[in-house]
Amino acid sequence: MRRDLQLRVATPEDLEWVHELRHRVYAQELGQHAPDPTGRLSDGLDGDNVYLVAARGAVRIGFVSLTPPWPGRYALDKYLTRDELPLLTEAGLFEVRILTVEPRWRASAAAPLLMYAALRWIASRGGRRMVAMGRTELLDMYLAAGLRPVGRTVRSGALTFEVLTGNVTELSKATMDRYRTTLERLRSEVDWRLDMPFAPRPDGCEHGGASFTAIGTDFRNLHRRHRVVAADVLDAWFPPAPGVRAALAEDPGWAARTSPPTGAEGLLAEIAAARGLPEETLTVGAGSSDLIFRAFGQWLTPESRVLLMDPGYGEYAHVTERVIGCRVDRFRLRREDGWRIDPARLAAAVGSGRYDLVVVVNPNNPTGRHAPAAELRSLIAAAPARTRWWIDEAYLGYVDLAESLADLAVTDPRVVVCTSLSKMYALSGVRAAYLVAEPVTAARLRRWTPPWPVGLPAQLAAVAALRDPAYYTGCWLRTHALRRRLAADLAGLDEAVVVEEGVANFLNVTLPYGGPSAAQVVAECRRHDVYLRDLSPLSPEYQGRTVRIAVRDTVENARIVAAFRAALEVLLPGSASLVSPVEGVPAAGSAR
């Protein structure tokens, strides 16, 4: 089938046409600006914004401009102060502007598709909210797209604009609900050359990685797993302990057909013994996601207010915002602070008493930073009595299990600690996790836990894993050495990239301004069967330029480095002259 309408990011040649069309429409046709002798119209944001272009073959049809939050300025700043429009101070705000279509194509689907492309581009960069200046005579089109007036108008030349805004998550859901059939039809007619999928997943969330798609989710070609490097998920690079493998291999037929202990009593006893915790404070689940959905579904409502770290593990935003519909705020972790939690800032945010739940992943995924337990204990001690704290310690073994807040959760009804056994114990495939809470809270959650919450193979594996701490301690130590080597090798590829190490089993690589997007690098690496994770949808703090890479074994790490090198050769020719991607950090890209 022919795909006549192409959507792409503007090329340098497109920009010449963009500036010429802007002049024809906004200077000559509409009188917003005075005509310019050059026949071109541009502004001071053109070095910071992004243009998306619609074209049919060699014929350019229309464009839309996007201003991301990281330059720190918007076109609306020319017309309204931040006091007059506080919306402009919100984190994760993207501005959509200058939606323009050639006269002969204004009755086509170009304008709606450009608006849809803008929404997808913003969502793929972690955008939380959109703002736009909509010409009053086109207001119905913007309202149909889901944008709503904020009560401010702007006059520019002969034109009047309404200031409009919308929540990106809500706009995405409403668009898919209302126009799904139309979009499915247009998908087959559009040559989509943007670096994000044409449509989001049905639930709007990217869970885990995409590497299994290369193996085959029908499980008919599992041999493919040997050629795929799954560095987009944070599964352990090492195998489970010998005792785990023995337990699973002893009688797999019996383990598959036999119902497990109803309440995972043996697993609970083993966790209690291994961690020195009372059994009545424990609840188990089939992975941490099981526990998150179960607990949050009991505690929270659409009226609840939740504070999440940003960047942070995407499952928490998905459950609170998309599934339950809570009012969610973000606590911004800043690159200039090394992505670490500022205790004073967090204390001030929580001290207001407006939050029902605060979520802290520690060590944090995806930043890889760890907040000392002593700091968190002090924060929690000073926090309001009504605020519950959910501490996710899925990667704590890579730091020190003594840093756990589980002992605090045993006695403080405001604190719950969740621990996945998947990542630290190489058990992602069998799904086992537990949480710790004071006995009353734990008992309530157990009442909402179905029988047989963890399968028999998973119970056998988890018990055997907890009985071999020496094996896993050695694996965790080896992980640090592998991560440091991988970081050094990646940093040596090109001076235009920056590699940031954390404390867990992954690292992040940030690409330079003016270079390829993270999505492009991820796509290029997949050509070599190497799967990495684009962090852009998790937070606008990553600016669409950061890739997370899980630590693998020596052989697979070498393949990661080779694939990344090949991607840079294709996407970053002459990259040594590009701007360093992190202000204040040398462009040498040294691992930290």
Side-chain angles (χ1 to χ4, degrees), residues 251-552:
D251 195 341
W254 172 79
R257 71 173 182 264
T258 302
S259 297
T262 306
E265 290 82 1
L267 175 56
L268 286 168
E270 197 63 41
I271 295 168
R275 297 290 186 259
L277 300 168
E279 281 189 52
E280 62 269 21
T281 66
L282 301 173
T283 302
V284 295
S288 59
S289 291
D290 175 24
L291 294 169
I292 294 167
F293 272 76
R294 199 187 318 157
F296 287 21
Q298 290 300 308
W299 299 337
L300 304 175
T301 70
E303 286 70 47
S304 301
R305 198 171 198 102
V306 178
L307 183 65
L308 304 179
M309 303 299 107
D310 181 16
Y313 179 42
E315 203 71 27
Y316 290 109
H318 172 63
V319 174
T320 54
E321 285 186 313
R322 296 188 179 96
V323 178
I324 301 173
C326 302
R327 295 173 295 171
V328 175
D329 293 336
R330 263 80 176 184
F331 180 81
R332 183 186 170 205
L333 304 176
R334 300 184 288 212
R335 190 187 294 274
E336 56 267 30
D337 296 334
W339 302 114
R340 290 179 172 83
I341 292 174
D342 181 330
R345 278 203 304 124
L346 183 55
V350 176
S352 64
R354 65 179 177 269
Y355 293 111
D356 299 285
L357 179 69
V358 178
V359 177
V360 178
V361 181
N362 195 38
N364 187 28
N365 171 24
T367 67
R369 304 304 184 189
H370 174 254
E375 285 185 1
L376 291 180
R377 289 177 189 273
S378 296
L379 276 168
I380 294 169
R386 69 176 298 270
T387 300
R388 177 179 270 128
W389 294 73
W390 177 278
I391 311 297
D392 184 329
E393 297 181 346
Y395 304 92
L396 191 64
Y398 293 108
V399 180
D400 186 347
L401 292 177
E403 283 282 292
S404 176
L405 296 187
D407 61 329
L408 180 60
V410 167
T411 59
D412 191 332
R414 301 174 301 161
V415 181
V416 175
V417 169
C418 179
T419 300
S420 170
L421 298 174
S422 299
K423 306 303 188 291
M424 292 189 295
Y425 291 91
L427 299 179
S428 292
V430 298
R431 311 304 299 158
Y434 67 91
L435 63 75
V436 186
E438 56 83 32
V440 173
T441 302
R444 287 173 180 162
L445 286 174
R446 285 197 297 272
R447 280 200 297 274
W448 286 96
T449 298
W452 312 294
V454 182
L456 183 56
Q459 291 190 35
L460 292 168
V463 167
L466 290 166
R467 289 174 178 169
D468 197 350
Y471 170 81
Y472 288 103
T473 299
C475 292
W476 299 336
L477 290 173
R478 175 65 178 150
T479 299
H480 295 310
L482 287 168
R483 187 189 65 241
R484 286 191 290 269
R485 180 70 262 166
L486 177 60
D489 289 345
L490 288 167
L493 292 179
D494 199 293
E495 63 182 13
V497 302
V498 166
V499 180
E500 294 180 293
E501 281 193 69
V503 297
N505 62 331
F506 55 90
L507 51 79
N508 295 332
V509 180
T510 299
L511 300 156
Y513 288 115
S517 67
Q520 289 174 306
V521 170
V522 166
E524 195 63 34
C525 286
R526 287 182 185 179
R527 297 177 186 272
H528 303 272
D529 284 325
V530 170
Y531 282 71
L532 312 178
R533 184 68 180 270
D534 172 13
L535 294 181
S536 307
L538 292 184
S539 173
E541 296 297 322
Y542 286 123
Q543 304 180 8
R545 300 182 295 112
T546 300
V547 175
R548 190 193 68 193
I549 303 176
V551 174
R552 309 302 302 165

Side-chain angles (χ1 to χ4, degrees), residues 154-212:
V154 168
R155 184 78 180 175
S156 179
L159 301 182
T160 302
F161 296 88
E162 190 83 35
V163 180
L164 305 146
T165 189
N167 177 282
V168 172
T169 298
E170 294 171 1
L171 288 170
S172 297
K173 182 179 185 305
T175 299
M176 295 309 297
D177 289 346
R178 187 173 180 181
Y179 301 110
R180 187 179 301 276
T181 301
T182 301
L183 288 169
E184 285 301 318
R185 174 179 58 80
L186 289 173
R187 182 203 295 260
S188 64
E189 301 172 7
V190 172
D191 181 8
W192 186 264
R193 297 200 177 185
L194 302 175
D195 63 7
M196 78 293 295
F198 180 84
R201 286 172 50 104
D203 65 0
C205 182
E206 295 298 326
H207 308 276
S211 47
F212 223 113

